[in-house]
Amino acid sequence: MEPPASNASYASCENGSLITLYCSSQQVLCQIVGDLNPQAPSNVTSNSWHERFTKNYSFYVGLGLAFLSCFLIGSSVILKKKGLLRLVASGATRAVDGGYGYLKDSMWWAGFLTMAAGEIANFGAYAFAPATVITPLGALSVLISAILSSYFLGESLNLLGKLGCVICVTGSTVMVIHAPEEEKVTTVIEMAAKMKDTGYIVFAVLLLVFCLILIFVVAPRYGQRNILVYIVICSVIGAFSVSAVKGLGITIKNFFQGMPVVRHPLPYILSLILALSLSTQVNFLNRALDIFNTSLVFPIYYVFFTTIVVTSSIILFKEWHSMSAVDIVGTLSGFVTIILGVFMLHAFRDLDMSQTRLPHMHKTPTPAPAPEPTVIRLEDKNVLVDNIELSRTPSPEEKPKVFIVHS
């Protein structure tokens, strides 16, 4: 592109003046509509500083928020469990029986607020860092909960349960690492278009019907005997809450970018979905914690929650198009590992297995066996007679006994 050869076009650069530009054989006519803003260089510097911060430190901010979220969520389970134990000690109606006395307990509210703070930190972590990094870090909350429950609740987990917990965390991490990257959705309109997709609508309806069957049919019969019933309900509802959180996160970003998101109905629908899903999760998670061991509830809940959320994300964002053969094998391997970990954690929970019962490398010398007593059969008459005679014969060391009879 070349400027005009005449110097007159350079002399008049006021508002409304015209400038002619040449590009090869084409001629472009431009009109000046405003003066140069003197604050433009500072704005450019500010934008570049913001871009540098987002590029260099955004990942670490998200990582720090994820660690904080894991600690808060792991601690909240202990606080809520102690509140439920205090409720049982006071003789009030338990949560599993439909009681809501825990709403009057300060310890339970401390746990609830701690979990809310952890979810907010997790919400911020998803805004700063990719989900493929943040989701596996949720496994740390499982370990924190198990460690704190052994100190503050007196709960113990046998050796096979600990191995199952580690296997669950490993399988979930492998599954999320090999899961496809989600498609970038940057506006509320794009998020609404994704949620209107036929495949996601069918998936959401199936999840909702399955959850209603669990709540009204399965839970009243088997909820107090099977640990998986309440946990699966919380996990299925969690798929809706995570989708709502992602949509609200995009809404907040668009709001600060100056987009008219307030007029769009999607943020209000997502807020209603989030409120209903969180209240349902809290209700059934309290029932699970009221009956079963915390060291069992939290790892199993994490496994099912991660699996359902990854599946929902694949369907919502059409992520299977970018999956390679390695990712498919890794995802299936992680899922099988999760199943094995859940089986070890649930099937051997009542088995008395510890490290002291394992075989050691150095064997302790075994004591010599005691001599077996001689057994004499009644059929052997000669041996019986000989024993009677030997018993009657006085030994040379014995003195003769004298009996005095008084008449």
Side-chain angles (χ1 to χ4, degrees):
M1 182 177 294
E2 298 178 357
S6 176
N7 293 331
S9 60
Y10 293 98
S12 59
C13 293
E14 299 177 354
N15 293 341
S17 60
L18 300 177
I19 297 178
T20 305
L21 302 176
Y22 296 92
C23 182
S24 183
S25 61
Q26 302 294 329
Q27 181 180 0
V28 180
L29 186 64
C30 301
Q31 183 180 12
I32 298 177
V33 295
D35 296 331
L36 181 65
N37 189 358
Q39 299 298 327
S42 61
N43 289 339
V44 173
T45 305
S46 176
N47 292 336
S48 62
W49 174 85
H50 177 71
E51 292 176 357
R52 288 198 305 268
F53 177 81
T54 304
K55 182 178 180 181
N56 298 330
Y57 302 103
S58 177
F59 176 78
Y60 299 102
V61 172
L63 203 63
L65 290 174
F67 283 119
L68 178 62
S69 172
C70 293
F71 178 77
L72 293 176
I73 293 176
S75 304
S76 67
V77 177
I78 308 302
L79 294 175
K80 292 171 71 174
K81 180 70 174 181
K82 290 184 70 68
L84 294 174
L85 292 176
R86 287 169 53 173
L87 179 67
V88 174
S90 63
T93 305
R94 302 179 63 174
V96 68
D97 297 328
Y100 295 94
Y102 55 84
L103 296 176
K104 300 179 182 179
D105 189 86
S106 59
M107 185 69 70
W108 185 89
W109 276 107
F112 178 79
L113 294 177
T114 306
M115 178 170 284
E119 293 297 339
I120 293 174
N122 193 34
F123 177 81
Y126 277 104
F128 284 99
T132 54
V133 178
I134 301 302
T135 306
L137 290 179
L140 296 177
S141 59
V142 179
L143 302 179
I144 293 173
S145 175
I147 293 173
L148 294 180
S149 63
S150 62
Y151 282 99
F152 296 101
L153 298 179
E155 298 179 354
S156 60
L157 200 63
N158 59 13
L159 184 61
L160 294 177
K162 295 177 182 178
L163 291 177
C165 181
V166 174
I167 290 175
C168 289
V169 173
T170 305
S172 300
T173 305
V174 171
M175 186 176 178
V176 174
I177 288 176
H178 288 280
E181 297 182 0
E182 63 184 29
E183 186 177 339
K184 293 183 179 179
V185 178
T186 57
T187 62
V188 177
I189 298 176
E190 295 177 356
M191 186 69 182
K194 292 291 183 182
M195 298 185 73
K196 291 179 183 178
D197 185 73
T198 305
Y200 181 74
I201 292 176
V202 172
F203 175 75
V205 170
L206 291 177
L207 280 185
L208 184 60
V209 172
F210 177 67
C211 187
L212 292 176
I213 292 174
L214 287 178
I215 292 175
F216 295 104
V217 178
V218 180
R221 298 180 181 179
Y222 307 103
Q224 299 187 17
R225 291 179 291 174
N226 196 327
I227 191 175
L228 298 179
V229 175
Y230 293 143
I231 293 178
V232 171
I233 293 174
C234 296
S235 302
V236 172
I237 295 297
F240 296 99
S241 63
V242 170
S243 300
V245 166
K246 288 184 179 181
L248 291 176
I250 295 173
T251 302
I252 294 174
K253 284 185 177 180
N254 294 158
F255 177 78
F256 285 106
Q257 291 173 357
M259 297 183 181
V261 296
V262 181
R263 302 176 183 177
H264 203 282
L266 183 62
Y268 305 101
I269 297 175
L270 293 179
S271 300
L272 180 61
I273 293 175
L274 183 62
L276 294 176
S277 60
L278 286 181
S279 60
T280 306
Q281 283 181 273
V282 168
N283 185 16
F284 286 96
L285 186 59
N286 285 332
R287 296 187 182 188
L289 291 173
D290 193 15
I291 302 176
F292 303 103
N293 197 320
T294 307
S295 302
L296 295 175
V297 171
F298 210 59
I300 299 175
Y301 172 65
Y302 166 77
V303 168
F304 280 92
F305 176 79
T306 305
T307 304
I308 296 177
V309 166
V310 169
T311 305
S312 176
S313 181
I314 290 174
I315 296 175
L316 178 60
F317 297 102
K318 302 292 189 301
E319 297 170 341
W320 60 78
H321 296 291
S322 61
M323 291 186 69
S324 61
V326 177
D327 292 332
I328 294 175
V329 174
T331 303
L332 294 178
S333 301
F335 187 70
V336 173
T337 306
I338 290 172
I339 294 175
L340 294 177
V342 172
F343 177 76
M344 290 185 62
L345 193 64
H346 184 60
F348 304 107
R349 60 179 181 178
D350 297 328
L351 187 62
D352 187 10
M353 175 63 68
S354 60
Q355 190 175 0
T356 57
R357 293 181 175 272
L358 295 177
H360 300 281
M361 295 296 294
H362 302 283
K363 295 183 178 180
T364 56
T366 56
E372 297 182 358
T374 304
V375 179
I376 301 175
R377 294 177 298 176
L378 296 177
E379 291 82 2
D380 198 349
K381 300 179 180 180
N382 296 328
V383 176
L384 289 174
V385 173
D386 294 340
N387 288 335
I388 293 174
E389 292 179 353
L390 289 174
S391 62
R392 290 181 178 179
T393 304
S395 62
E397 296 179 359
E398 295 181 356
K399 295 182 180 179
K401 298 179 182 180
V402 179
F403 298 94
I404 301 174
V405 180
H406 298 279
S407 58

